[in-house]
Amino acid sequence: VRAKDAVNNVQNDFTVGTASNSFTVDLTAPDIRITSPVETYRRDLSVITGSHSDNLATVSKVEVQITSGTGGSKRYWDGDLASGSAWVSYSTWVAAAVAGNWTYAVAAQIGFVDGRQYFVYVRGRDSIGNEGNVAPSAAQASTFTWDTTPATSLFDKRNNLSAGTLIDGGFYRSITKIAGSASDTSPGLEQSVDFYLKQGGGSGSGSGLYWDGAVFTSFGAAHWLPSSFSSPDFSTVTPNI
């Protein structure tokens, strides 16, 4: 700005901070991303984490939304354990800690249900009040299924023969390969199968002679080996047991 008096003396001193100032228009919301959880399945979750940045200002607030279900059965986590029911029917967000990368501590009492799908979203606000999230859609949301049911396995084949050719307590003169299948309750997905072979010493996985892939060797505990696995079937990797 400049001033002029009655005889047209015009100001020509524009000291920054008094007669002149510069400013930048910032209308952009912060960039808030989720770094964990990003897996399709989870069996434990104590903290949700992510990163935050802003084009010009600083990020002053990050909020997390955790939901489950759809339509009329959709529920939102409000974190209010004192109310006795922290899953509510209306949309709500919970505040995350912003220092460094943002974090949200997941209460042990959140009550994730086995087999149920959950959705996590994040948003933020910068120091001048821009709210929202400009991160790519895939980075500002995460979906996982809670899975606490162990997979199961059945081995009942030997020497590339049919099911039932390997039974508990059976007697065999030749075993060059054992095989079977694995399964998991929906929507879980079996991922791998390990096995151990123990010679003598009774059942159980304590110390004894275990197959090491070539010979039976003494180990202090069960010696597990990976199988060759193509869901749902598995077989021993090494022949000539």
Side-chain angles (χ1 to χ4, degrees):
V1 294
R2 71 178 182 179
K4 183 170 61 174
D5 64 17
V7 294
N8 285 327
N9 291 311
V10 180
Q11 176 184 353
N12 57 17
D13 178 16
F14 303 102
T15 303
V16 174
T18 55
S20 69
N21 284 296
S22 63
F23 61 88
T24 301
V25 175
D26 179 8
L27 302 176
T28 303
D31 183 306
I32 315 294
R33 305 184 182 219
I34 298 173
T35 56
S36 178
V38 293
E39 303 87 354
T40 303
Y41 298 94
R42 292 292 300 232
R43 63 186 296 266
D44 56 72
L45 184 63
S46 60
V47 63
I48 300 172
T49 61
S51 63
H52 62 78
S53 62
D54 195 75
N55 63 324
L56 295 172
T58 57
V59 177
S60 60
K61 186 176 184 179
V62 172
E63 292 182 310
V64 178
Q65 185 178 74
I66 306 172
T67 74
S68 180
T70 58
S73 65
K74 189 169 186 177
R75 293 295 180 266
Y76 303 81
W77 171 252
D78 75 353
D80 184 12
L81 294 170
S83 70
S85 178
W87 289 97
V88 296
S89 59
Y90 53 86
S91 179
T92 186
W93 297 73
V94 291
V98 185
N101 291 329
W102 66 265
T103 60
Y104 176 72
V106 179
Q109 303 93 325
I110 193 168
F112 289 134
V113 177
D114 185 40
R116 186 171 295 177
Q117 192 174 50
Y118 293 88
F119 307 88
V120 181
Y121 308 95
V122 288
R123 68 183 183 186
R125 182 173 66 196
D126 66 20
S127 55
I128 63 171
N130 292 310
E131 294 183 323
N133 196 347
V134 298
S137 297
Q140 59 179 277
S142 176
T143 303
F144 64 89
T145 297
W146 197 248
D147 183 5
T148 56
T149 301
T152 59
S153 60
L154 167 69
F155 67 101
D156 60 350
K157 304 174 186 177
R158 65 183 179 89
N159 304 355
N160 292 320
L161 299 174
S162 60
T165 55
L166 180 66
I167 61 173
D168 182 40
F171 293 87
Y172 307 102
R173 58 179 298 181
S174 172
I175 295 182
T176 59
K177 188 177 186 179
I178 60 174
S181 60
S183 62
D184 196 14
T185 56
S186 180
L189 179 66
E190 59 275 1
Q191 187 70 32
S192 64
V193 174
D194 297 332
F195 71 97
Y196 73 77
L197 291 174
K198 184 180 182 184
Q199 177 178 289
S203 61
S205 57
S207 62
L209 296 175
Y210 291 89
W211 182 254
D212 67 3
V215 296
F216 284 98
T217 304
S218 178
F219 289 94
H223 182 66
W224 292 89
L225 297 171
S227 71
S228 176
F229 181 70
S230 179
S231 181
D233 301 315
F234 71 91
S235 62
T236 54
V237 175
T238 53
N240 303 319
I241 296 173

